[in-house]
């Protein structure tokens, strides 16, 4: 399971004219589910994301987690994180989990994030979404349950 974390001062997701999720201070989490991922991958990532110290403390050092900072999570499913560009010019998505399995693990991940006590907003699974964000820092971090 792969996640791109962006520390944001605000973010929102729109599907058509409708806002499906919106946060202020927090993390925008772009989440890709890979073939072979399990609930253990989702649990690991949820814990890592909730406690990763990437928010500024009073001395302007990255010593606070999103939990410590009182932030929220905006999670957007994004199978394109599993793209392979090794051959040719068109990305291959062979490593992405099939939609039904990806949806199941995405929902499981959301439940594990909510269990941390964080407020969690979402995009819409398999929808064409517009993601708006103000990346704070900028801070962007890649977390992979198989490589961490």
């Amino acid at each position: 399971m792969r996640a791109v974390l962006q520390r944001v001062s605000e973010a929102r997701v729109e599907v058509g004219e409708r806002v499906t999720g919106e946060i202020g201070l927090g993390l925008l989490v772009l989440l890709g589910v890979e073939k072979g991922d399990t609930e253990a991958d989702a649990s690991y990532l949820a814990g890592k994301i909730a406690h990763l110290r990437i928010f500024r403390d009073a001395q302007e050092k990255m010593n606070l987690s999103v939990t410590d900072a009182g932030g929220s999570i905006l999670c957007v499913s994004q199978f394109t994180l599993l793209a392979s560009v090794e051959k040719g010019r068109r990305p291959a998505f062979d490593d992405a989990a099939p939609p039904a399995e990806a949806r199941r693990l995405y929902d499981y991940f959301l439940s594990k994030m909510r269990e941390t006590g964080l407020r969690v907003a979402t995009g819409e699974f398999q929808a064409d979404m517009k993601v708006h964000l103000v990346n704070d820092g900028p801070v962007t971090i890649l977390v992979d349950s198989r490589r961490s």
Side-chain angles (χ1 to χ4, degrees), residues 57-147:
D57 65 13
Q59 289 75 42
E60 297 295 312
K61 297 195 184 286
M62 288 199 299
N63 278 326
L64 302 177
S65 68
V66 65
T67 303
D68 300 331
S72 301
I73 302 292
L74 176 56
C75 188
V76 176
S77 63
Q78 190 163 355
F79 79 95
T80 60
L81 292 178
L82 285 302
S84 171
V85 294
E86 293 173 10
K87 297 179 183 176
R89 297 184 304 200
R90 179 179 297 188
F93 301 102
D94 299 335
D95 291 338
E101 182 64 4
R103 175 63 182 258
R104 185 183 74 77
L105 287 171
Y106 172 74
D107 288 341
Y108 184 81
F109 171 81
L110 294 175
S111 73
K112 297 310 275 183
M113 285 300 321
R114 289 183 175 111
E115 285 178 14
T116 69
L118 289 164
R119 179 182 164 272
V120 178
T122 67
E124 188 174 302
F125 193 84
Q126 284 189 305
D128 182 17
M129 296 174 271
K130 305 294 183 224
V131 180
H132 304 266
L133 68 137
V134 177
N135 191 324
D136 179 25
V139 174
T140 301
I141 298 192
L142 176 64
V143 183
D144 191 312
S145 64
R146 297 180 188 195
R147 294 182 181 93

Side-chain angles (χ1 to χ4, degrees), residues 18-34:
R18 180 173 47 92
V19 174
T20 63
E22 186 170 21
I23 63 169
L25 175 77
L27 291 174
L28 171 63
V29 178
L30 306 174
L31 186 73
V33 180
E34 191 170 1

Side-chain angles (χ1 to χ4, degrees), residues 44 47 53 55 57 74:
Y44 169 80
R53 295 174 13 186
F55 285 81
D57 65 13
L74 176 56

